[in-house]
Amino acid sequence: MPPLRRPLRMLAAVLLLLCSLAALSVSAEAKVHHHTWDIAYRYKTLDCVEKLAVTINGESPGPTIHATQGDTIVVTVHNKLETENTGIHWHGIRQIRSPWADGVVGVTQCPILPGDTFTYRFVVDRPGTYFYHAHYGMQRVAGLDGMLVVSAPDGVAEPFTYDEERTVLLMDWWHKSVYEQAVGLASDPLKFVGEPQSLLINGRGVFEPFHCSRAPNGSSDAACNVPRPAGCAPPTLFTAVPGKTYRLRVGSLTSLSALNFAIEGHSMTVVEADGYYVRPVVVDSLFIYSGESYSVLVKADQDPSRNYWAASHVVARERNTTSAMAILSYAGNDPRAPPPTPRPEGPAWDDVRPRVEQSRSLAVAHPDHVLPVPPRADRALLLLNTQNRIGGHTKWAINGVSLAFPSTPYLVSMKRGLQGAYDARPPPETYDYRSYDIAKPPPAANGTVASAVYRLALGSVVDLVLQNTVALNNRSETHPWHLHGHDFWVLAYGDGKFDPERDTARFNLRDPVMKNTVALHPKGWTAVRFVADNPGVWLFHCHIEAHVYMGMAVVFEEGVDKVGRLPKSIMGCGRSRTLP
Amino acid sequence: MPPLRRPLRMLAAVLLLLCSLAALSVSAEAKVHHHTWDIAYRYKTLDCVEKLAVTINGESPGPTIHATQGDTIVVTVHNKLETENTGIHWHGIRQIRSPWADGVVGVTQCPILPGDTFTYRFVVDRPGTYFYHAHYGMQRVAGLDGMLVVSAPDGVAEPFTYDEERTVLLMDWWHKSVYEQAVGLASDPLKFVGEPQSLLINGRGVFEPFHCSRAPNGSSDAACNVPRPAGCAPPTLFTAVPGKTYRLRVGSLTSLSALNFAIEGHSMTVVEADGYYVRPVVVDSLFIYSGESYSVLVKADQDPSRNYWAASHVVARERNTTSAMAILSYAGNDPRAPPPTPRPEGPAWDDVRPRVEQSRSLAVAHPDHVLPVPPRADRALLLLNTQNRIGGHTKWAINGVSLAFPSTPYLVSMKRGLQGAYDARPPPETYDYRSYDIAKPPPAANGTVASAVYRLALGSVVDLVLQNTVALNNRSETHPWHLHGHDFWVLAYGDGKFDPERDTARFNLRDPVMKNTVALHPKGWTAVRFVADNPGVWLFHCHIEAHVYMGMAVVFEEGVDKVGRLPKSIMGCGRSRTLP
């Protein structure tokens, strides 16, 4: 398809917008979906090893929420954790006109106390593949998460077709508790819990000692004599009818791990990323980072007389975690029959290049669904990601500031003008990019812990350029950054150090895809642009749970004076306890 | 000393009261003690095995608070637990005119949220040996506790003398987390965490595999080649100067275990129980139950050329827990030299008789310090303790009611008249004591879970008769019952089933000691009397942490309309969130 010229593109965009509004305006058909959730600890055996999980109505992960664009979701949360609070974020939902429902404890609400009930109510205004998960301390690690699928309304065509769809939620899993992990990270010296023991696909995995691999001839090998403990569920099963095409809505809510997902013998066509249609890309395997979602089309076009592995592998960190295996079973086969092939091993964990290349190839919008990017930014923040030693503790910092959540949620303190409830001094807009050496850890004592906020002009166009460096161990990690309250255009993934004069010209202003989560690759940079048009206070953070816990986040405020009356239910902590 | 006749006893009591008032009235000398505490998880190695503890300023147990009768204690608590709340109870302090400072989450306050600060302020109106500890879920198990010692004012003589004093805090300790323990107890079927791994004396113990026992000749035995891990502290050391007399203030804050405490080769004279002077009793070893405190006098009158074991052993449950060993070292010896004798083994765990007999022998007030007991009760509650299966869960119930803490603290909901915030239907006053068979577990489906309250007439005299039974496993346990807001007279410990007509005549109305915690022995009964003269809402419960968590508690209200204006700081949960 030849590139549309600019006026045509603008026209297409306007049409898209009108279609979108038309879809929303069918309000007679918009539904309200009520869910009632008990949040409680339960002993679970997700990877065949029993440990506590924070569950929703007894399950981890929780149920997939299904809705149609324009519907309203109402979730009544009963906290039954006994002594621990909670808060639930609706990842990818922009919460337009409901910023108090974003579920980020310390940013948009006080925690939900044990014995208390909190109701989230929000509109899902865009079709796409989203999530929900705890957003409080490191509680997400304990398994409080799930998927949220918003379908396009009937009669609104998507730029691809398929016969059926499935959700594929990818997670990682530790045998130690969140508390052991979090306290270790906050200790001096840092005490790392280590790599996760298992990966999970739709909440199921098998810790390596209990894996029963099969030789290619289908006979069990010697390792098969380790009996699986009680409660050890069989692998997740995806059934397929030969010849049909399946849309897999694949999402990652890992706490640490970057992943590679693949289905043995089947290519995948990537068609959606974080709720936006991408220019279709055929891949053998999908690299996916925590907080990202993709829809891939898979055609059941292989030998239907056998089953196939669907595998999730760790990449970007040394692979000390058991890969997760699901089974793709063609109809008619024994659905429990293991594939005749050995468990796949996945790509080399430390090969960065294919990951960067796939990120770039997926950063292009579907030609019929290009949303025009504002041609220039009103403000650009150049955000240096560093690992610092601050006051004896290992922290992550952005331009030298490691975020500490205040005890009064920003949304309350900023809307109500509570002086001193957060650090009023704004964080730095940039860093000394000319002389800074990103190949070296930051100088000692370079960093502070603060609850500072970037205040954005309502409606302004903002560029965020994330600059990676090496951590204190001289390695450079992959950080998936997630923006609350907005989607952004992905303008570029660059290598090395970003140079504003040189690299701004490389931004894709023609057909960038929009997303809400984007990878910052090792020793590279990533540039995104968004419009600060959603009154509220919004977190932007690395989606690795340990990293945001260690301060790898910034906070944006825009138009907080335009936010409607705050519900009393988000208050009750810090200085919001005694507000009239 | 011949017994005083009644008029003389009354006169003595009045004089005591006057002395007490005189001591309090020296207000010019009353001090205010300020403490600032950070409550946070830390990795600790209390018994040589590293695990998380909830600490005060980094330590578990926390610091001993020292004050003098009439002083005011102010403790500013910063909750730094990240996602978990807290609340701290001042065990043995009656909180006269400060019922909101009792620190029981769900009864007298809302929990203290992470990031929030709460200030406890109260007067210590009686000398004695007291405690503080978490009173929220099962959080006490995690190590948030310590001692609170209130001295008699200068010039007020105690009925015994000594040269120096020491505190001895006894605890038990698990390697699994509070969460694992609590969720297991709430699971269907119940999943028991098992006996504690270690006992602790002043926060130190040695898990059995790391115990390095010594042969009597002082050489190390074969077990000594297990190296102790880093952070493993030496045993608690008590130093003594030959010929001097020491007051040991011994307290137990075990979560489960009944204990026997002894110092090898040294007898102990018990002189105080829960803040009251007892008729002195010489014992070889002290049986002590969770929530109890005793002062014992120990004279350093043995061979001063060697050291001695001071040991804490489990009794009343099969001994699967490593005993704790401290060292009593005579001045001049190597304080680290292990005693030349093998570690003592303690009394038979299952010999109930000496325990009951010691309870009885210690239930008599010091003859010069008899506080006259009201001759009759206005109301008597006969409280049957049973273990029940309710709704698939194993619970403890009192007269068939298993207590569930409401999400709005009773003190707030009752003072402010919040209808429906707790179960208004009063719990039963008694049970069918004529026909009930205490040697059998209760019939199935016999029990409810409720937040019901006994409402007591202000100033009335109330008898509480606790009746033990056998649990679902057909064993009868020892339950130490602790009353908040009051002390009670200990009227009798009986065997078998209490018969009001027969056994009331056996009450000691002549010289009973007062206490705040009393043992209910296996298959027996215990009778106490108190005056409901402290406006507020007060918990009465088994001090075994698992048992109160499973509902083994009742709530008393008296004169809540007389309670002064409630501080806003105790509100913020349940229906108290939105109170004006």
Side-chain angles (χ1 to χ4, degrees):
Chain A
M1 188 181 208
L4 295 172
R5 275 182 301 159
R6 191 181 165 89
L8 273 175
R9 291 218 319 275
M10 290 299 274
L11 181 62
V14 167
L15 281 172
L16 271 175
L17 186 65
L18 288 174
C19 290
S20 184
L21 287 172
L24 273 173
S25 71
V26 198
S27 59
E29 292 183 18
K31 287 184 183 156
V32 180
H33 303 266
H34 290 273
H35 299 272
T36 302
W37 288 356
D38 283 353
I39 309 298
Y41 275 102
R42 290 281 181 274
Y43 277 102
K44 303 299 284 185
T45 49
L46 302 191
D47 70 343
C48 300
V49 175
E50 189 174 66
K51 72 156 286 215
L52 290 179
V54 174
T55 61
I56 297 173
N57 296 340
E59 297 305 325
S60 170
T64 299
I65 294 179
H66 291 279
T68 300
Q69 183 181 17
D71 288 353
T72 296
I73 309 280
V74 181
V75 182
T76 303
V77 174
H78 301 298
N79 179 358
K80 301 200 166 181
L81 294 174
E82 307 280 358
T83 58
E84 184 174 329
N85 307 310
T86 191
I88 300 177
H89 170 57
W90 314 92
H91 181 116
I93 307 303
R94 292 174 295 172
Q95 303 291 355
I96 294 166
R97 284 180 291 279
S98 55
W100 44 75
D102 199 39
V104 185
V105 176
V107 179
T108 63
Q109 69 168 99
C110 289
I112 309 169
L113 272 63
D116 277 1
T117 295
F118 186 94
T119 299
Y120 291 97
R121 185 184 184 97
F122 53 89
V123 174
V124 290
D125 65 328
R126 287 189 41 80
T129 306
Y130 307 110
F131 308 99
Y132 58 82
H133 59 77
H135 215 307
Y136 185 46
M138 290 184 68
Q139 197 176 63
R140 176 160 66 88
V141 173
L144 175 44
D145 63 10
M147 295 187 84
L148 196 172
V149 173
V150 182
S151 302
D154 282 349
V156 174
E158 296 189 286
F160 47 86
T161 58
Y162 52 92
D163 297 297
E164 290 182 45
E165 70 174 54
R166 307 270 189 270
T167 54
V168 183
L169 177 56
L170 306 177
M171 291 164 62
D172 48 10
W173 198 242
W174 283 264
H175 296 161
K176 288 200 171 176
S177 72
V178 171
Y179 287 84
E180 288 165 291
Q181 186 169 164
V183 175
L185 292 173
S187 292
D188 172 14
L190 182 145
K191 189 182 174 79
F192 180 49
V193 68
E195 302 298 314
Q197 276 65 54
S198 298
L199 297 181
L200 307 177
I201 298 177
N202 288 350
R204 295 188 194 172
V206 177
F207 182 47
E208 189 62 41
F210 301 115
H211 239 304
C212 179
S213 65
R214 298 275 174 169
N217 61 3
S219 68
S220 50
D221 69 12
C224 274
N225 57 13
V226 179
R228 289 190 184 177
C232 179
T236 295
L237 188 70
F238 300 108
T239 54
V241 173
K244 283 198 173 181
T245 296
Y246 294 86
R247 176 185 192 169
L248 302 188
R249 293 179 181 268
V250 187
S252 171
L253 284 180
T254 54
S255 291
L256 176 65
S257 313
L259 299 178
N260 178 269
F261 177 75
I263 303 175
E264 189 190 12
H266 294 71
S267 65
M268 303 184 279
T269 305
V270 184
V271 293
E272 180 217 340
D274 296 4
Y276 287 87
Y277 303 125
V278 300
R279 181 185 63 187
V281 177
V282 178
V283 299
D284 287 329
S285 69
L286 179 72
F287 293 104
I288 184 167
Y289 307 96
S290 180
E292 286 192 317
S293 72
Y294 291 98
S295 284
V296 298
L297 303 182
V298 178
K299 187 160 189 192
D301 58 3
Q302 297 299 304
D303 173 4
S305 69
R306 53 160 287 196
N307 294 340
Y308 297 84
W309 297 110
S312 171
H313 309 280
V314 166
V315 290
R317 294 179 68 96
E318 204 159 352
R319 196 173 294 155
N320 292 316
T321 303
T322 311
S323 297
M325 299 287 148
I327 291 177
L328 174 70
S329 175
Y330 276 70
N333 295 341
D334 173 1
R336 296 294 170 211
T341 42
R343 286 187 280 147
E345 298 197 342
W349 70 269
D350 53 353
D351 191 359
V352 179
R353 198 42 41 199
R355 299 199 287 115
V356 177
E357 281 167 12
Q358 192 175 91
S359 287
R360 287 180 182 147
S361 74
L362 294 175
V364 181
H366 189 283
D368 300 340
H369 292 264
V370 175
L371 287 170
V373 56
R376 64 192 61 80
D378 299 306
R379 185 173 175 187
L381 300 176
L382 183 46
L383 303 173
L384 183 72
N385 290 225
T386 55
Q387 195 183 45
N388 299 50
R389 289 275 296 172
I390 305 177
H393 298 277
T394 304
K395 294 278 187 185
W396 290 94
I398 305 306
N399 292 349
V401 179
S402 182
L403 186 76
F405 290 94
S407 58
T408 311
Y410 289 103
L411 184 60
V412 178
S413 56
M414 301 190 84
K415 168 80 179 160
R416 301 289 288 266
L418 304 181
Q419 301 292 321
Y422 57 92
D423 293 310
R425 193 176 158 201
E429 301 272 305
T430 185
Y431 74 105
D432 178 12
Y433 61 85
R434 285 195 179 80
S435 65
Y436 194 92
D437 184 354
I438 65 163
K440 285 199 293 201
N446 183 357
T448 57
V449 174
S451 55
V453 181
Y454 291 99
R455 306 198 74 148
L456 308 177
L458 186 61
S460 63
V461 176
V462 180
D463 277 3
L464 305 172
V465 182
L466 296 157
Q467 177 63 58
N468 214 337
T469 62
V470 299
L472 294 171
N473 63 1
N474 279 302
R475 293 189 186 179
S476 189
E477 297 192 46
T478 303
H479 302 285
W481 277 80
H482 171 63
L483 179 59
H484 291 230
H486 312 78
D487 302 311
F488 47 65
W489 289 272
V490 180
L491 302 186
Y493 294 97
D495 301 320
K497 193 160 70 168
F498 176 77
D499 178 335
E501 286 78 31
R502 177 192 65 206
D503 293 323
T504 307
R506 297 171 49 194
F507 290 172
N508 172 16
L509 300 179
R510 193 182 149 278
D511 55 2
V513 77
M514 296 194 82
K515 292 190 93 233
N516 61 57
T517 305
V518 70
L520 174 59
H521 289 288
K523 299 180 186 170
W525 56 266
T526 299
V528 303
R529 178 170 294 177
F530 74 103
V531 183
D533 56 0
N534 191 8
V537 185
W538 308 105
L539 197 64
F540 180 46
H541 64 100
C542 176
H543 210 260
I544 292 176
E545 194 74 338
H547 291 185
V548 61
Y549 179 76
M550 294 161 79
M552 200 171 203
V554 298
V555 175
F556 298 128
E557 175 276 331
E558 69 214 39
V560 76
D561 54 309
K562 300 283 193 300
V563 169
R565 190 157 177 263
L566 298 180
K568 183 78 182 165
S569 60
I570 67 168
M571 306 185 196
C573 57
R575 291 179 53 190
S576 74
R577 282 179 79 91
T578 49
L579 281 180
Chain B
M1 188 182 211
L4 297 172
R5 276 181 300 161
R6 193 182 164 89
L8 275 175
R9 292 216 320 272
M10 291 300 277
L11 180 63
V14 168
L15 282 172
L16 272 175
L17 186 67
L18 289 174
C19 290
S20 184
L21 287 172
L24 274 173
S25 71
V26 199
S27 58
E29 292 183 17
K31 287 184 184 159
V32 180
H33 303 267
H34 289 273
H35 299 272
T36 302
W37 288 356
D38 282 354
I39 309 299
Y41 275 101
R42 290 282 180 276
Y43 277 102
K44 305 299 283 186
T45 49
L46 302 190
D47 70 344
C48 300
V49 175
E50 190 174 66
K51 73 157 287 215
L52 290 179
V54 174
T55 61
I56 297 172
N57 295 340
E59 296 305 325
S60 170
T64 298
I65 294 179
H66 291 278
T68 300
Q69 183 182 18
D71 288 353
T72 296
I73 309 281
V74 181
V75 183
T76 303
V77 174
H78 301 298
N79 179 357
K80 302 201 166 180
L81 294 174
E82 307 280 358
T83 59
E84 184 175 330
N85 307 309
T86 191
I88 299 178
H89 170 57
W90 314 92
H91 181 115
I93 308 303
R94 292 173 296 172
Q95 302 291 355
I96 294 167
R97 284 181 289 279
S98 55
W100 44 74
D102 199 40
V104 185
V105 176
V107 178
T108 63
Q109 69 168 101
C110 288
I112 309 168
L113 273 63
D116 276 2
T117 295
F118 187 94
T119 299
Y120 291 97
R121 185 185 184 95
F122 54 89
V123 174
V124 289
D125 65 328
R126 286 189 42 79
T129 306
Y130 307 110
F131 308 99
Y132 59 82
H133 58 77
H135 215 307
Y136 185 46
M138 291 185 66
Q139 196 175 64
R140 177 160 66 88
V141 173
L144 175 44
D145 63 10
M147 296 188 83
L148 195 172
V149 173
V150 182
S151 302
D154 283 349
V156 174
E158 297 188 286
F160 48 84
T161 59
Y162 53 90
D163 297 298
E164 289 182 44
E165 70 174 53
R166 308 269 189 270
T167 54
V168 182
L169 176 56
L170 306 177
M171 292 164 61
D172 48 11
W173 198 242
W174 283 263
H175 295 162
K176 289 199 170 176
S177 72
V178 171
Y179 287 83
E180 288 165 292
Q181 186 168 164
V183 175
L185 293 173
S187 292
D188 173 14
L190 182 144
K191 188 182 175 79
F192 180 49
V193 69
E195 303 298 315
Q197 276 64 56
S198 298
L199 297 181
L200 307 177
I201 298 176
N202 288 350
R204 295 189 193 172
V206 177
F207 182 47
E208 189 63 42
F210 301 116
H211 239 304
C212 178
S213 67
R214 297 276 172 169
N217 61 3
S219 69
S220 50
D221 69 12
C224 275
N225 57 14
V226 179
R228 290 189 183 178
C232 179
T236 295
L237 187 70
F238 300 108
T239 53
V241 173
K244 285 199 172 180
T245 297
Y246 294 87
R247 177 185 192 168
L248 302 188
R249 294 179 181 268
V250 187
S252 171
L253 284 180
T254 54
S255 291
L256 176 65
S257 314
L259 299 178
N260 178 269
F261 176 74
I263 303 175
E264 187 189 16
H266 294 71
S267 64
M268 302 184 280
T269 304
V270 183
V271 294
E272 181 218 338
D274 297 0
Y276 289 87
Y277 302 125
V278 300
R279 182 185 62 187
V281 177
V282 178
V283 299
D284 287 330
S285 70
L286 179 72
F287 294 104
I288 184 167
Y289 307 96
S290 180
E292 286 192 315
S293 71
Y294 290 98
S295 284
V296 299
L297 302 183
V298 178
K299 186 159 190 192
D301 58 2
Q302 296 299 306
D303 175 4
S305 70
R306 52 160 286 196
N307 294 340
Y308 298 84
W309 297 110
S312 171
H313 309 281
V314 166
V315 291
R317 294 179 69 97
E318 206 160 350
R319 196 173 294 154
N320 292 317
T321 302
T322 311
S323 296
M325 300 287 149
I327 291 176
L328 174 69
S329 175
Y330 276 70
N333 295 341
D334 173 1
R336 296 293 169 214
T341 43
R343 285 189 279 149
E345 298 197 340
W349 70 268
D350 54 354
D351 191 359
V352 179
R353 198 43 38 198
R355 299 200 287 114
V356 177
E357 281 167 11
Q358 192 176 91
S359 286
R360 287 180 181 147
S361 74
L362 294 175
V364 181
H366 189 282
D368 300 340
H369 292 264
V370 176
L371 287 169
V373 57
R376 63 191 61 79
D378 299 308
R379 185 173 174 186
L381 301 176
L382 184 46
L383 303 173
L384 183 73
N385 289 226
T386 55
Q387 194 182 46
N388 299 50
R389 290 276 297 172
I390 305 177
H393 298 277
T394 303
K395 294 280 188 182
W396 290 94
I398 306 307
N399 291 349
V401 179
S402 182
L403 186 75
F405 290 94
S407 57
T408 311
Y410 289 103
L411 183 61
V412 178
S413 55
M414 300 191 85
K415 169 81 179 162
R416 302 288 288 265
L418 304 182
Q419 301 293 321
Y422 57 93
D423 292 309
R425 193 176 156 200
E429 301 273 303
T430 186
Y431 74 104
D432 178 11
Y433 60 85
R434 285 196 179 78
S435 65
Y436 194 93
D437 184 355
I438 65 163
K440 285 198 294 202
N446 182 356
T448 57
V449 174
S451 56
V453 180
Y454 292 99
R455 306 198 74 149
L456 308 177
L458 186 62
S460 62
V461 177
V462 180
D463 276 3
L464 305 171
V465 182
L466 296 157
Q467 177 64 59
N468 214 336
T469 63
V470 299
L472 295 170
N473 63 1
N474 279 303
R475 292 190 187 179
S476 189
E477 297 193 46
T478 304
H479 302 287
W481 276 80
H482 171 63
L483 180 59
H484 291 229
H486 311 79
D487 301 311
F488 46 65
W489 288 273
V490 180
L491 302 185
Y493 295 96
D495 301 320
K497 192 160 70 169
F498 176 78
D499 178 336
E501 288 78 30
R502 180 192 65 207
D503 293 324
T504 306
R506 295 170 52 192
F507 289 174
N508 173 15
L509 300 179
R510 193 182 148 276
D511 56 1
V513 76
M514 296 194 82
K515 293 190 92 228
N516 60 56
T517 304
V518 71
L520 173 60
H521 290 288
K523 298 179 185 170
W525 55 267
T526 299
V528 304
R529 179 170 293 175
F530 74 103
V531 182
D533 56 0
N534 191 10
V537 185
W538 308 105
L539 196 65
F540 180 47
H541 64 100
C542 176
H543 209 260
I544 292 176
E545 194 75 339
H547 291 187
V548 63
Y549 178 74
M550 296 161 78
M552 199 170 206
V554 297
V555 175
F556 298 128
E557 175 276 332
E558 68 213 41
V560 75
D561 53 309
K562 301 284 193 300
V563 169
R565 189 155 179 265
L566 299 180
K568 184 80 183 164
S569 59
I570 67 168
M571 306 185 196
C573 57
R575 292 181 51 191
S576 74
R577 281 178 80 91
T578 48
L579 280 180

